[in-house]
Amino acid sequence: MTTNPPRAGRREWTALVVLMLPLLLVSMDVSVLYFAVPEISADLEPTGTQQLWIFDIYGFVLAGLLMTMGALGDRIGRRRLLLCGAAAFGAASLLAAYAQSAETLIAARAVLGIGGATLMPSTMALVRTMFTDPRQRAQAIGLWSGVMTGGIALGSVMSGLLVEHFWWGSVFLVNLPAMVLLLVLGPLLLPESRNPSPGRFDLPSVPLSMAAVLPVVYGLKELPSEGWNVRYVVSISVGLLFAALFVHRQRTTASPMISPALFRGHGFTPALTLNTLSAFGMMGSALFTTQYLQSVLGKSALEAALWSLLPSVLIGAAAPVAAQLVQRGIERAHVVTAGFVISACGYGLLALAGTDSLWLVLAACGVMAAGIVVVMSLLTDLALSSAPVDRAGSASSLLETGTEFGGALGMAALGSIGTAVYRHAMPDTAPEPAQETLGGALAVAAELPGRAGDALAGAARAAFTDGMRGAAIAGALLLLVAAGVAVAGLRHIRMRPETENAGQAEELSPSGA
């Protein structure tokens, strides 16, 4: 005899709103330094290497610790880990805002990455815990996906507005009210949940997981700008070697950090794979569209960021619509497949862009992102529903790690295609810096007199647009392949009744007992 799972009430939906605040800020922190760099450079005078680390250390630490923090939350309690992470994130934000040296700012950004690694899987796992009704959970995860995606675009805009009216440290101080609110309301609204029989925490898996993730993400992120440099190929190879060692340990140790049983869950592996492919599509386009708005159309950084908000209108509606379609009886496989096809159509629109196609590019970005959000929200719901509740943190962290890998791979693969087309399209007579990148071409063109400079700049903009079109065609083909994989991989998957998880032990109490 089965019973319907309890439906979430006002308390749970209010708690979801509280969870959205740190999630929004963590996603914004990816791009929040965009407009603050000139002021930071003038104030702290970082070296070129230090400036790169100020940018990159947050994302690297976050990616490297996601799996560790997800597994830790399953053991010590997801709410407890979330609140510890919020306190660390708030303290690091305060330290970053008033940093007096580049070294201090780098250290603060690293602690922000640690805090972000606790917040992201914890929020997703708590959503899984609070919303046991499949329909409500799909709605909640749709909102989670929309906030996560929108925060990245919003971060650069908020950065520009704050730096224009205040000083660069203000981009970090905006984190404090939300973290204080979470620390106050979290213990009152959020349930505590953990795995009651997690086994010991496997400490050797922590450095192995970081050694697997960080070199691969680093190499993939650097490839678009510098090409197939031996250093980056070696970095990726080393990461893959450690990844093999990490997998071997998880399969052989008595108490793995990431249980291999997760991958035997009904639908978890296809959901994880397809989610990684969707991240490939999402981040692969961002590398081009941002440069297109600024360097091809000549928009200022703030203007480009404001224009980039327009596609968010479609993003906000995509996930709730997808959840409604599934709830009305349309097969999940069909909706996910449609999402991939819609996103491929967005890439198709991008492939039609010329050197003066603002509205076409914005429409392409909106269609593309809307399709990806449809896919991500439904696949996240499928993966979390397929995983045992007592391993929700580990499942969440794997999804987030897959997103990091997919995004980095998308930027590397499509970036390499775009760069190759750009270099082929540039005249052989162009100066060497101009043949490497659009930025280099525009810098050289600014130093040339009259028509010569204009001709070089025009040729470079046309070549970059050609490269963007080539990458868009490749992205469209990949997403169409992903649509085919979705049809084959999800066709026979049905959502399990929540009562199947009822026998899985889990400690859960609003008071955090």
Side-chain angles (χ1 to χ4, degrees), residues 82 219 386:
L82 177 71
S386 303

Side-chain angles (χ1 to χ4, degrees), residues 162-505:
L162 288 172
V163 170
E164 186 173 337
H165 294 92
F166 303 100
W167 94 110
W168 63 263
S170 61
V171 303
F172 297 107
L173 290 184
V174 295
N175 296 334
L176 295 180
M179 294 304 161
V180 170
L181 190 63
L182 177 60
L183 290 171
V184 172
L185 296 181
L188 301 176
L189 295 173
L190 299 174
E192 183 58 286
S193 62
R194 64 176 70 85
N195 185 345
S197 304
R200 66 179 179 83
F201 189 75
D202 187 44
L203 286 176
S205 290
V206 175
L208 277 178
S209 67
M210 295 187 71
V213 172
L214 291 180
V216 176
V217 171
Y218 169 74
L220 290 174
K221 286 190 174 182
E222 293 299 321
L223 281 178
S225 58
E226 297 194 30
W228 290 91
N229 188 300
V230 173
R231 177 174 54 184
Y232 304 135
V233 174
V234 170
S235 177
I236 294 171
S237 301
V238 169
L240 292 177
L241 174 62
F242 277 106
L245 294 174
F246 176 76
V247 170
H248 176 72
R249 181 162 185 86
Q250 304 316 296
R251 297 180 65 179
T252 56
T253 187
S255 182
M257 186 170 79
I258 302 294
S259 173
L262 272 175
F263 295 90
R264 295 193 291 270
H266 188 65
F268 183 82
T269 299
L272 179 62
T273 303
L274 290 169
N275 189 70
T276 302
L277 288 176
S278 66
F280 182 109
M282 174 70 84
M283 296 306 297
S285 66
L287 181 68
F288 295 96
T289 54
T290 302
Q291 290 187 70
Y292 180 86
L293 291 174
Q294 293 184 69
S295 299
V296 176
L297 297 184
K299 306 292 183 185
S300 69
L302 182 55
E303 285 178 325
L306 289 171
W307 279 111
S308 297
L309 284 180
L310 283 181
S312 300
V313 176
L314 290 176
I315 295 173
V321 169
Q324 286 294 322
L325 290 174
V326 172
Q327 290 168 15
R328 290 178 181 273
I330 299 178
E331 290 292 336
R332 182 181 301 265
H334 296 161
V335 181
V336 170
T337 301
F340 276 122
V341 172
I342 290 170
S343 192
C345 290
Y347 266 116
L349 288 175
L350 194 62
L352 301 176
T355 54
D356 188 19
S357 303
L358 172 63
W359 290 103
L360 179 62
V361 169
L362 293 177
C365 290
V367 172
M368 189 189 319
I372 292 296
V373 170
V374 166
V375 170
M376 283 186 162
S377 62
L378 293 182
L379 292 177
T380 299
D381 182 34
L382 174 61
L384 292 182
S385 303
S386 303
V389 180
D390 55 8
R391 293 180 182 139
S394 297
S396 303
S397 67
L398 282 173
L399 280 173
E400 291 299 327
T401 303
T403 299
E404 292 289 331
F405 272 123
L409 184 59
M411 294 180 72
L414 298 187
S416 297
I417 292 172
T419 299
V421 174
Y422 171 86
R423 290 172 179 171
H424 182 267
M426 284 295 288
D428 294 335
T429 55
E432 184 175 346
Q435 294 187 34
E436 293 296 319
T437 64
L438 175 58
L442 294 180
V444 172
E447 298 176 357
L448 296 176
R451 293 182 178 179
D454 293 340
L456 178 60
R461 291 186 175 105
F464 177 85
T465 305
D466 289 343
M468 183 176 72
R469 288 198 293 260
I473 292 171
L477 292 175
L478 174 93
L479 291 175
L480 289 176
V481 170
V485 174
V487 170
L490 303 179
R491 182 173 51 191
H492 300 299
I493 293 176
R494 300 289 184 272
M495 295 301 295
R496 299 181 308 174
E498 287 294 317
T499 49
E500 288 187 19
N501 288 328
Q504 298 169 350

